[in-house]
Amino acid sequence: MHKVAAILLPTFFLAAAALGQQSGTSSAPPADPVLPVSLPVAVHPIPLPAIVPAGRPSIGLALEGGGALGLAHVGVIQWLEEHHVPVDRLAGTSMGALVGALYSTGHTPAEMRKIALSNAFTGVFTLQTPYIDASFRRRQDRRETQAALMFGLKHGPQLRNAVFSDRGVNEFLFTNLPTSNRQELDYNRLPIPFRCVATDLNTLQPVTFAAGPLPQAVRASISIPGVFSPVLDRNGHYLVDGGILDNLPTDVLRQSLKAEVVIAVRLQDSPLSGVDTGSIVGVLNRAFSAGIVHNVDEAERLADVVVRVPVGSFSTTDYAKGALLVDAGYQAAEASRAALLRYAVSDETWDAYVAARQGRIGDRQLVDHPSLLRTVKVEGGGPAAVRQVLADLQPLNGQPLSATSTLNALKRIQSNGGFAASYEVLTPALGDGAAADSVGDAGILVRLSEDPTGPPYLLVGPDVAASTSNITRGELALRVVDQNLGGFGSEFRGEARIGYMTALSAEYYRLVRPSGYFFEPRTRIVREPVYIWANQKRIAERFQQSLDAGLEAGRTFTSHLQASAEWRVEDTRWSLRTGTGGGPYLSGTAQTALFHVNADEASTSAVSPNGFRLSASAGAIFHGVDSANAPVMKLAFSRTRPWKDNILGISGEVNSYLRARVAEPYLFTLGGPMRLSASSFDEYRGTDLYLARAGNLHRIAALPTGLGQGLYVVTGYEAGEVWSREARAMLRQDGTAGLLASTPIGVITVGFSAGDAGRRKLFVTLGRWF
């Protein structure tokens, strides 16, 4: 890809601390496995189609790689179509391969422009599996371990081999090339015969694809090293971005596709500048580009016409500027008007060319008369995973093949991490002019691949909250997750927190039915300081140590909904470090029984533009030392909605013992950032409380595609009230303003809050806002 390092190096340095995270989320997922695919690379004996009408030279178009810059190819193609310059052969590398694949399979310039101007590429460059597709437990991980860096532990601590997840790019290709995902497909039979290029890491040679599932061939061609994971072919070779060795495949047009006239589209970069030599990243970027630019210079010599698109003012991540890039390509073609019009044809000749091109769409039969799914084959993954895939695809049996339906069915096997899934359609070979009724029934071959680095996985992430005239809460969380332990879907999860609070916990989630029934024994040890406040002054510090153990059982209905019942017993010990006040602080045991309902319809774990979360619990606490048996009710919810460049949100929390007499440590607390931000941490304690929050996030800047949602101005209002037998109910209100950055290393908030009773705080947090 042109200027591979322009993506690789800045992206790596910005996102290496959060490999595997989704834009705007806060924890890292399991690494994406390398997908084994079957990609034949030899040219099939099927001849190239004849040039129509006969007697004119065959014209080939070579499209260079360049990330977002490659969207300029759409504008060049639009100009060629409008001016009746036929394209008989097509070859591309990396982004040029993606645009070329769309055009060669029958997408019009208008359709490609629509894709370029949509938000499709936002989903392509995702740092992890989209939150909305994650399983219930992976959602828990993302909410609870903010800004986590993930290591696979299967063969010792290892980071995954790519910054971005495969999921987004795979789904983009399967969705936009739905009828070309067939092993039997020969690229000579496409509307425009096509080739794309990748680099073989085993042989260090370029690889040209002429047949096989087209989405997977393009996926290999765009596998920027370190950005997307390599593709493993059927020969056990690892394939990456073709731009490393052949970024402008004019040679492929000449040799493989026998083009007599070659038009090359070159993405012309700006000359050396101070930025290129003013930093480590700049120097490495420029140096890494040298070899790629050299192979493009060599490729130019095989072209009859070179359309140079000036893209020096854009970056390889400027997918949000698709309209400008497409227009830049169109204007570049116009600037080469004289050279290109030499190959323009008459209206009559153009009509004959278009008719012949459309007549070669054997895949058009699959659009107009889609095959019916009759068989499913699964490779890899183990017996339990295979059974799960077969069960998930069973509802599609006998239905017309659909990329969307198939991808949705494969989300479940990938939602819990540890597995990646790819598929190809198995259909009878289609000859030119084959009858529609010859398409017949079809099958799907699903390929499952396990992550080579894990499970188990280690998530390491900070959790920080600090405010002026107050304590600072900073912890380092280390969470180990060992999936499919003792059965498919079951897992062990253990966590240690070090810092303000020291905690150790362990739980074993045992899935007893595929329908979601589970039981989960767990235990936890916590040691933490507890500060007592009076009129914003700290009057005492106590130290709490607790040990609890319990069992939870219930059903995980979907990735969005779980219901369960829990019983636990807790032993708490207190000690006084300094000062006096608060209480009563009683050491002893208590038991709790609760029924929980948790719903999560948010789109991300952190700054969710649209979504709803609800956590409700009801039960009782009993047999507590010097505490009355009491009912317990807990309710927390949040709701967000987008509005122009804003995210509007409300949230609420109600906790109550129905005013029963309950001693520490069972009291509820308020105070601290996002829990009455102008007050001190846990300044208010009681048996009954409510908290209401409303806020707005206005985006003032966007991060490059794939690296986060952007920078927001935050404004908010908070109101909370606490009641206890020892203190009368008090209502506290405050207003908050600040800046929030949703980045690959988490959501960072810097703000100021002013409240009643003279409370003022500057605060910094690393965590979600709503």
Side-chain angles (χ1 to χ4, degrees):
M1 174 177 282
H2 184 53
K3 301 189 301 183
V4 171
I7 299 177
L8 172 58
L9 294 174
T11 300
F12 180 79
F13 285 115
L14 286 171
L19 290 174
Q21 292 183 15
Q22 179 190 2
S23 158
T25 65
S26 53
S27 81
D32 286 310
V34 176
L35 292 175
V37 297
S38 181
L39 294 173
V41 297
V43 178
H44 284 189
I46 297 171
L48 289 162
I51 300 301
V52 177
R56 65 176 182 83
S58 59
I59 300 174
L61 180 65
L63 303 180
E64 187 188 5
L69 308 179
L71 297 177
H73 296 317
V74 176
V76 175
I77 292 171
Q78 180 183 345
W79 192 96
L80 295 176
E81 290 256 332
E82 289 178 359
H83 293 82
H84 291 184
V85 178
V87 176
D88 305 297
R89 312 286 188 251
L90 185 56
T93 298
S94 199
M95 191 63 180
L98 192 155
V99 174
L102 293 173
Y103 188 43
S104 69
T105 54
H107 287 72
T108 66
E111 290 170 336
M112 291 189 292
R113 184 183 181 92
K114 183 178 180 180
I115 293 173
L117 271 59
S118 72
N119 62 354
F121 291 102
T122 302
V124 169
F125 295 96
T126 55
L127 293 172
Q128 64 178 359
T129 298
Y131 183 80
I132 197 169
D133 294 335
S135 69
F136 191 88
R137 290 186 65 80
R138 298 293 74 80
R139 290 177 176 226
Q140 287 180 324
D141 284 340
R142 297 190 195 184
R143 294 194 305 271
E144 296 170 5
T145 54
Q146 301 291 324
L149 177 66
M150 187 215 56
F151 297 87
L153 302 178
K154 184 181 290 185
H155 305 292
Q158 289 181 303
L159 291 170
R160 75 188 206 181
N161 60 5
V163 172
F164 291 115
S165 165
D166 283 344
R167 287 285 297 277
V169 66
N170 288 342
E171 291 187 5
F172 176 88
L173 293 171
F174 291 146
T175 301
N176 287 284
L177 300 169
T179 62
S180 301
N181 188 24
R182 296 183 287 113
Q183 183 63 43
E184 302 85 359
L185 180 66
D186 189 292
Y187 301 170
N188 284 355
R189 283 178 168 163
L190 294 174
I192 303 174
F194 175 69
R195 302 289 187 269
C196 64
V197 181
T199 298
D200 189 327
L201 291 182
N202 295 58
T203 65
L204 303 181
Q205 296 295 318
V207 176
T208 300
F209 295 104
L214 185 56
Q216 297 176 18
V218 175
R219 171 66 180 82
S221 185
I222 66 175
S223 296
I224 311 165
V227 176
F228 290 119
S229 60
V231 170
L232 180 64
D233 74 6
R234 63 180 180 180
N235 298 315
H237 288 206
Y238 289 87
L239 309 178
V240 296
D241 193 293
I244 297 171
L245 297 177
D246 193 0
N247 202 42
L248 184 62
T250 54
D251 58 331
V252 174
L253 285 173
R254 293 288 191 191
Q255 298 166 15
S256 178
L257 289 169
K258 310 302 180 185
E260 297 170 282
V261 175
V262 171
I263 300 171
V265 181
R266 180 160 189 182
L267 306 172
Q268 192 70 41
D269 195 9
S270 57
L272 180 72
S273 67
V275 175
D276 296 314
T277 57
S279 67
I280 293 175
V281 172
V283 173
L284 290 175
N285 182 23
R286 191 72 180 183
F288 195 86
S289 299
I292 298 173
V293 172
H294 179 71
N295 79 56
V296 173
D297 288 341
E298 291 293 320
E300 269 197 25
R301 296 188 175 94
L302 296 177
D304 298 286
V305 179
V306 178
V307 178
R308 303 179 186 278
V309 186
V311 290
S313 61
F314 300 95
S315 79
T316 50
T317 58
D318 275 338
Y319 290 94
K321 299 179 180 178
L324 296 176
L325 284 162
V326 172
D327 291 343
Y330 189 92
Q331 294 303 322
E334 178 65 23
S336 301
R337 179 186 187 89
L340 292 172
L341 286 181
R342 293 171 54 195
Y343 306 104
V345 298
S346 66
D347 291 349
E348 181 180 355
T349 299
W350 177 259
D351 291 342
Y353 157 76
V354 171
R357 189 173 74 181
Q358 293 178 339
R360 286 195 298 271
I361 306 182
D363 289 340
R364 178 64 64 186
Q365 300 165 41
L366 295 176
V367 175
D368 299 334
H369 305 278
S371 300
L372 303 182
L373 179 63
R374 294 300 184 188
T375 61
V376 176
K377 299 179 181 179
V378 184
E379 293 183 358
V386 170
R387 287 194 296 271
Q388 184 66 62
V389 170
L390 293 175
D392 292 340
L393 288 169
Q394 177 58 36
L396 305 184
N397 186 45
Q399 301 298 313
L401 283 174
S402 162
T404 300
S405 298
T406 304
L407 290 170
N408 286 337
L410 292 176
K411 285 180 179 178
R412 183 172 181 181
I413 192 66
Q414 302 175 88
S415 67
N416 207 40
F419 285 105
S422 179
Y423 82 96
E424 60 193 61
V425 179
L426 305 174
T427 63
L430 297 176
D432 292 340
D437 58 5
S438 69
V439 176
D441 296 336
I444 290 178
L445 173 60
V446 177
R447 301 179 187 274
L448 297 180
S449 182
E450 296 182 34
D451 182 356
T453 70
Y457 300 103
L458 172 64
L459 306 180
V460 182
D463 188 358
V464 178
S467 61
T468 54
S469 304
N470 210 331
I471 58 176
T472 297
R473 289 186 170 181
E475 297 158 11
L476 181 65
L478 299 94
R479 176 172 292 195
V480 174
V481 180
D482 195 355
Q483 297 164 323
N484 302 322
L485 181 65
F488 182 75
S490 299
E491 65 179 45
F492 168 82
R493 186 160 64 186
E495 182 174 276
R497 285 184 172 262
I498 304 168
Y500 173 85
M501 174 179 67
T502 302
L504 294 172
S505 63
E507 60 188 52
Y508 180 62
Y509 176 87
R510 178 64 179 181
L511 186 65
V512 294
R513 293 285 181 86
S515 55
Y517 289 100
F518 72 92
F519 67 86
E520 182 179 20
R522 60 164 68 107
T523 185
R524 181 180 63 166
I525 301 173
V526 178
R527 304 174 76 246
E528 63 179 323
V530 175
Y531 298 96
I532 311 303
W533 304 86
N535 297 321
Q536 302 187 69
K537 294 183 179 180
R538 191 167 62 192
I539 61 174
E541 177 184 348
R542 295 179 178 267
F543 193 73
Q544 175 187 351
Q545 302 179 78
S546 62
L547 168 66
D548 68 69
L551 177 68
E552 185 173 359
R555 184 179 181 184
T556 305
F557 294 92
T558 66
S559 61
H560 308 283
L561 180 64
Q562 177 177 288
S564 63
E566 177 190 12
W567 170 86
R568 70 172 182 267
V569 59
E570 179 178 7
D571 182 79
T572 302
R573 304 295 170 183
W574 291 89
S575 62
L576 178 65
R577 286 188 168 178
T578 60
T580 60
Y585 296 92
L586 304 172
S587 297
T589 61
Q591 298 181 52
T592 305
L594 294 169
F595 179 77
H596 306 287
V597 174
N598 292 285
D600 185 353
E601 295 288 345
S603 55
T604 72
S605 65
V607 183
S608 179
N610 190 23
F612 174 75
R613 289 194 181 97
L614 172 70
S615 177
S617 302
I621 181 170
F622 49 93
H623 300 327
V625 173
D626 203 33
S627 287
N629 294 343
V632 182
M633 298 178 63
K634 300 179 182 180
L635 174 68
F637 75 92
S638 64
R639 180 73 173 98
T640 57
R641 293 185 64 89
W643 180 64
K644 296 183 179 180
D645 288 331
N646 301 275
I647 300 176
L648 306 177
I650 60 172
S651 64
E653 181 179 332
V654 178
N655 297 326
S656 178
Y657 288 110
L658 300 185
R659 304 208 169 188
R661 184 179 58 84
V662 176
E664 289 282 9
Y666 315 118
L667 299 183
F668 304 115
T669 64
L670 276 182
M674 276 79 78
R675 292 182 58 78
L676 294 180
S677 302
S679 299
S680 299
F681 288 100
D682 297 337
E683 183 173 345
Y684 314 109
R685 296 174 174 271
T687 57
D688 301 84
L689 65 80
Y690 71 81
L691 172 67
R693 300 175 63 232
N696 177 64
L697 279 68
H698 176 71
R699 190 164 78 169
I700 57 175
L703 294 178
T705 301
L707 294 183
Q709 291 167 272
L711 182 67
Y712 297 83
V713 172
V714 178
T715 55
Y717 166 79
E718 300 174 301
E721 187 173 12
V722 179
W723 181 91
S724 70
R725 288 178 177 269
E726 291 73 27
R728 63 181 178 84
M730 62 177 68
L731 174 65
R732 288 285 181 257
Q733 302 177 75
D734 60 48
T736 301
L739 293 176
L740 180 150
S742 178
T743 74
I745 61 171
V747 178
I748 304 169
T749 306
V750 179
F752 172 75
S753 183
D756 50 16
R759 285 164 167 75
R760 306 285 189 274
K761 290 287 187 295
L762 290 171
F763 63 88
V764 178
T765 66
L766 178 57
R768 63 182 179 275
W769 186 258
F770 290 115

